[in-house]
Amino acid sequence: MNTIEQFNKFVMHSYGRYDLVLESGEHEVSVDKNGKKYIDFGSGIGVNSLGYCNDEWVEAICSQAKKIQHTSNYYYTKIQADFAKKLCETTGYTDMFFGNSGAEANECAIKIARKYSFDKYGKGRHNIITLKNSFHGRTICTLSATGQDVFHNYFFPFVEGFINVEPNNIEDLREKLDNSVCAVMFEYVQGEGGVCALDQDFVDEIFKLCAENDVITIADEVQTGVGRTGKFLCGEYFGHKADLTTLAKGLAGGVPIGVCLSGDKCADVLTPGTHGSTFGGNPLACAGGIAVLNKVNSEGFMDEVRQKSEYIREKLNKCSEVQSVSGIGLMVGIELKTKKAADIAKAALEKGLLLLTAKTRVRLLPPLTISYEEIDEGLDILIGLLNS
Ligand SMILES: Cc1ncc(COP(=O)(O)O)c(C=O)c1O
């Protein structure tokens, strides 16, 4: 049995996969079992923020593995405290909860918002507004929060208490934000939904209405956070800081992590026994996270992310097959005029380029550390396919 046959025999078939077995990686290049190289414009869906096997990141993980790889959350570890301090200092939040994925980070935020409201107002004020076309995860609760009907099948009953509002429709938001609502949850740029940024006016209105009504704002920055858009938090572009922000994906550079950040308002909502996670705060993840934070906080790093973004967008906009380029920073959506995104992603594999898609768009989430040389190499392949 080869790898693919063995895999398919023993692993459930919940993903559509490409016929590709990756074996290793070097910086921004993935290598398959035959030694063929691929420029990676997907970084494992925005996870390998520093590319493959970044020296400082490898060193951090390896030296932590030799000290303590896990302990229960009944005890403290220095690495967790160090990571939490650094992340709070980076973001300006005061407190955080450790989980292992984006969905888990969002579950935590949902629980905090509901308990905040329950503690203050009692039962019945539990509804959470989420946006149509959003994506918040695959657990039964975060699927329920996700505002796309296509995900609301098979697994009935879904979790009650999510109301969907049309993105950028202020009237719809005003109408639905009544006194049954405890939170509004949103992505500044809907990633899985097609790399669609929210309008400034709409975001302003969310924050205004939530402040007036003591409703918790939850920014799902699982995909947009950790420098992906050229600011540590995408909310910085919009001039807002949500009561709760969730991060995951690129936060630990490839080790599972998910966190829910809170400001003062919700910092004391969770009390002993109300929430937990066996692996949450895993020391290896914290070590990887510190390496990522050191890198993205280093001088000029975010400027470079923004410059690379402009460079990529400028080149793409010159291509006649490109209808429009969406997203912010190194979160790039490409709407095509005549070709299908899925066909381009498939053809790119042959040529040695890994691409993502989101709805009808080709999606790029390259490592934040990608070099101009690799950007050029990847774009040459992509634009060549679009022009062919
Ligand atoms: C905005 C957003 N939230 C949540 C999730 C779920 O994250 P995870 O797959 O780590 O649970 C994703 C994953 O794509 C996401 O893009």
Side-chain angles (χ1 to χ4, degrees), residues 60-316:
I61 301 272
C62 292
S63 64
Q64 185 58 43
K66 289 179 192 159
K67 286 187 199 150
I68 184 168
Q69 83 277 22
H70 172 79
T71 182
S72 83
N73 283 310
Y74 293 127
Y75 313 112
Y76 297 96
T77 60
K78 183 172 181 330
I79 192 90
Q80 289 175 323
D82 287 346
F83 172 75
K85 178 170 184 280
K86 210 175 252 296
L87 184 58
C88 285
E89 283 170 358
T90 301
T91 56
Y93 279 102
T94 57
D95 289 79
M96 58 167 295
F97 179 85
F98 281 115
N100 308 287
S101 66
E104 232 188 290
N106 287 338
E107 291 267 353
C108 177
I110 290 164
K111 284 178 74 174
I112 291 176
R114 283 191 169 172
K115 186 166 182 297
Y116 172 87
S117 191
F118 177 85
D119 290 347
K120 210 161 160 186
Y121 303 100
K123 271 191 175 170
R125 193 178 176 274
H126 57 254
N127 285 331
I128 297 182
I129 289 181
T130 60
L131 302 185
K132 289 188 180 148
N133 200 42
S134 57
F135 184 79
H136 297 298
R138 293 282 189 167
T139 60
I140 203 86
C141 179
T142 55
L143 267 188
S144 309
T146 292
Q148 299 189 54
D149 289 342
V150 66
F151 290 110
H152 300 156
N153 208 347
Y154 318 122
F155 311 113
F156 304 104
F158 286 89
V159 176
E160 280 177 34
F162 293 97
I163 300 171
N164 296 149
V165 159
E166 199 74 51
N168 301 323
N169 186 334
I170 290 178
E171 278 316 303
D172 199 23
L173 175 70
R174 285 191 186 138
E175 204 174 293
K176 289 176 179 157
L177 204 153
D178 59 20
N179 56 15
S180 73
V181 172
C182 68
V184 177
M185 182 170 175
F186 57 90
E187 301 152 86
Y188 288 104
V189 183
Q190 295 185 325
E192 301 305 306
V195 198
C196 310
L198 294 181
D199 292 347
Q200 179 75 48
D201 286 0
F202 182 71
V203 174
D204 290 344
E205 192 68 16
I206 291 177
F207 279 86
K208 180 172 160 280
L209 289 178
C210 286
E212 286 169 2
N213 294 286
D214 194 19
V215 166
I216 301 298
T217 45
I218 304 174
D220 177 347
E221 293 231 31
V222 163
Q223 192 161 149
T224 54
V226 201
R228 171 56 55 194
T229 63
K231 303 262 188 200
F232 192 85
L233 296 180
C234 187
E236 294 171 50
Y237 280 108
F238 290 83
H240 290 292
K241 190 158 159 218
D243 297 311
L244 301 171
T245 287
T246 55
L247 299 175
K249 288 200 183 284
L251 183 56
V255 191
I257 193 166
V259 306
C260 177
L261 289 158
S262 169
D264 283 334
K265 189 168 180 171
C266 296
D268 297 323
V269 171
L270 294 181
T271 49
T274 54
H275 198 43
S277 167
T278 297
F279 286 107
N282 174 268
L284 299 179
C286 290
I290 289 174
V292 168
L293 292 178
N294 285 342
K295 190 78 178 171
V296 299
N297 284 333
S298 63
E299 190 155 353
F301 188 87
M302 290 298 179
D303 292 336
E304 272 186 41
V305 169
R306 291 193 290 272
Q307 282 155 15
K308 286 175 204 167
S309 158
E310 274 171 37
Y311 183 79
I312 290 172
R313 287 162 197 276
E314 212 169 286
K315 281 204 155 185
L316 287 171

